[in-house]
Each structure stands twice: as structure tokens, then as C-alpha cells.
Amino acid sequence: MSLQDLLKFADAAVEETGIDMTQTTSGGERTLLPEGYAFARLVEYIELGMQPQEFAGKAKEPALEFVLGFALWGDGYQHDDGSPYLLRTFRTPLSRNEKSRAVRIFKQLNWKGTARAFPQLLGQPILLKVVHKKTGTGELVHRIDLDGFLPPLDPVSRRPYDIPAAPDSMYKLFLWNKPTLEGWNSIRIEGEYQGKSKNYLQEACLGALDFQGSPLQQLLMQHGAAVAAPAAAPAAEQGNTKEAAAGKPKLPKIPKAPPIPTVPEA
């Protein structure tokens, strides 16, 4: 699908679902990208279904999670052949609470004020801030500063920067309640890293709490994929017994997802 086709699909989906992020509610080898601002375009919006949530060790209500992907350009932010580097956010709960991370991100990306939901922002240019963080093992990694997005405008002239167009092959759109076969196949990631599958996006979808009976399960079954929802973990395995005895809440355990089906497109 071209970008224009994806945007038409996104507009129709937003109208059908009624999602409006402008209406808030209260309540392999890894490359270390340099710190600083990069030219970027939003090229991926991927929903992963309902996932368990916790805060400060306490279980919260499950939430629909999403991932954003950005194509980057600039010195140190693109490959030797000039093609853009792809950088994704961590999985984020989709919430319309005015104080939520999702709303903060959306307001920054929607600097033109023309979109009502994330899918309608595909292709939009932005200045993306890359920062360095240390992991628990002391490894230095790059991360997106989720509060550091800026409009792609020259601060003096206020004219837009000339940010290249991303190739159609980089665009991915996968909506949990309106999945398409093309979208499903596009989020598959081949290979392994340090003995673990890279295909975490599809695995998260298959392990979603609401996968059973979901449009995704129905889509895969319609195309001949033998897919069953992961079985619920036995009650005795949910949570840590020592923590439960201490009065701490039991956090839901996500069962291992079934094998990822390869579904040919018609």
C-alpha cells in the first residue's frame, strides 16, 4: 500500500472507531546513534492488543498498547547509502487521559493540529531528539526523548526543513480492531538477537489478553492459519507466591505465544 492508501484507510478507521486523541480525559549488532536532533518522519503505527500494566510494582488495568516507528535522516542518523535509520518507541499504553504519555506524544507530533489520532500522522515530519541511557548492565544505548519532539521548522525563518520523503516500503500500519493481512505480514521481523527472536511485535499481538475471538485471530483463521490463543496460565503460576504472602498484588503472567503463522497474501 502507498502512503496515500494507508492514510485513506487510517481516516476511515478513525471515523469508524471514534478515536479522537484531541479529546482528552482527566485523570543484530546495534548502532549507537549520536545524541541530538534528527530529521524524522512517522512511518509506523502498530497496535498490540490489550496488555498487562503495572506501576511501581502494582497491577493496573490492562490497556491497548502501541508502538511508533520513525525514519531518521541527518549526520549519523542514516545508512551509508543515504537511506534512513528506523527507530521505534517502547510499547506505550494508548490512553486519552490528559496526563498520559500517549497524549503528550500525540500533542507534540500533531503540531499542525490536523489529526485526531496517531494513524493520521503517518508521513508527518518532525524533529526527533535522541538521548543516551545506561542499561542495568552498564551498556550505553540510544533512546527517543518522548518529551523532546519539535516542529520541523527553522527557528529563525520558521520555514519548514526539507525533510526527505520516506519510501513506501518503510510504512507500516496495524490496527488491532481493523487488522489487514498486509499490515500483519509487514510487522514480522525475521531473525534472532542473542538467542531471542526479533519478532516481538507479532509475538506481542498473539500474546494479547484479548486475542481470543479478536479480529486478528479471525483474520488469520480465515486465511488458513491454525492459530489458537495462548492458554491462560494456571492460577498457581500467576504471580510470585512469596510476594502474594507479603500482601503484594499478583501481576498477570503472559503465557508463551504460539508459533507465528506465515500467511500468504492473496
Side-chain angles (χ1 to χ4, degrees):
M1 254 188 221
S2 68
L3 172 58
Q4 293 303 316
D5 289 336
L6 286 175
L7 287 174
K8 289 180 181 178
F9 179 78
D11 286 340
V14 169
E15 289 297 331
E16 183 173 323
T17 60
I19 296 175
D20 191 341
M21 294 297 294
T22 64
Q23 299 298 314
T24 62
T25 60
S26 55
E29 283 192 23
R30 297 187 176 181
T31 300
L32 182 64
L33 301 180
E35 287 192 301
Y37 275 96
F39 290 151
R41 286 186 186 272
L42 180 65
V43 294
E44 294 183 351
Y45 176 73
I46 302 164
E47 294 179 344
L48 306 173
M50 298 293 287
Q51 303 289 340
Q53 306 294 312
E54 68 168 291
F55 180 74
K58 296 182 178 180
K60 297 175 60 180
E61 288 292 322
L64 175 68
E65 290 186 344
F66 69 93
V67 170
L68 301 176
F70 295 88
L72 307 185
W73 290 269
D75 188 16
Y77 300 110
Q78 58 193 46
H79 299 288
D80 293 339
D81 63 359
S83 60
Y85 192 91
L86 176 67
L87 189 58
R88 293 188 176 104
T89 62
F90 283 117
R91 292 159 52 168
T92 303
L94 184 61
S95 169
R96 290 189 295 134
N97 185 293
E98 61 187 356
K99 296 181 180 179
S100 70
R101 175 178 294 178
V103 167
R104 295 203 314 270
I105 296 173
F106 179 79
K107 286 181 176 180
Q108 294 175 85
L109 299 182
N110 191 31
W111 57 276
K112 289 183 178 180
T114 57
R116 289 186 292 149
F118 281 108
Q120 295 172 317
L121 291 170
L122 284 172
Q124 289 299 308
I126 199 73
L127 295 183
L128 180 149
K129 186 178 182 181
V130 175
V131 294
H132 288 171
K133 301 285 185 181
K134 280 191 176 181
T135 66
T137 61
E139 179 187 10
L140 195 63
V141 295
H142 55 251
R143 297 284 185 260
I144 298 174
D145 182 349
L146 298 178
D147 291 312
F149 294 105
L150 291 175
L153 306 174
D154 183 283
V156 177
S157 68
R158 302 303 295 172
R159 293 180 179 176
Y161 288 112
D162 185 17
I163 298 179
D168 282 345
S169 59
M170 291 194 72
Y171 285 97
K172 293 177 174 60
L173 176 62
F174 186 75
L175 303 179
W176 185 250
N177 289 320
K178 288 187 68 67
T180 65
L181 194 58
E182 182 179 7
W184 172 251
N185 288 336
S186 74
I187 66 174
R188 183 180 181 89
I189 305 174
E190 301 289 349
E192 295 185 348
Y193 179 74
Q194 295 182 346
K196 296 182 179 180
S197 169
K198 292 182 178 180
N199 197 26
Y200 71 99
L201 295 173
Q202 286 190 339
E203 289 172 356
C205 290
L206 293 181
L209 300 177
D210 57 343
F211 176 76
Q212 180 68 47
S214 67
L216 173 59
Q217 186 189 42
Q218 296 174 33
L219 174 72
L220 297 178
M221 293 177 67
Q222 286 170 4
H223 287 83
V227 180
E237 296 181 6
Q238 295 187 10
N240 183 293
T241 54
K242 291 183 179 179
E243 290 184 352
K248 294 184 179 180
K250 297 178 181 179
L251 300 180
K253 181 179 180 180
I254 304 177
K256 184 178 179 180
I260 309 294
T262 301
V263 185
E265 294 185 32

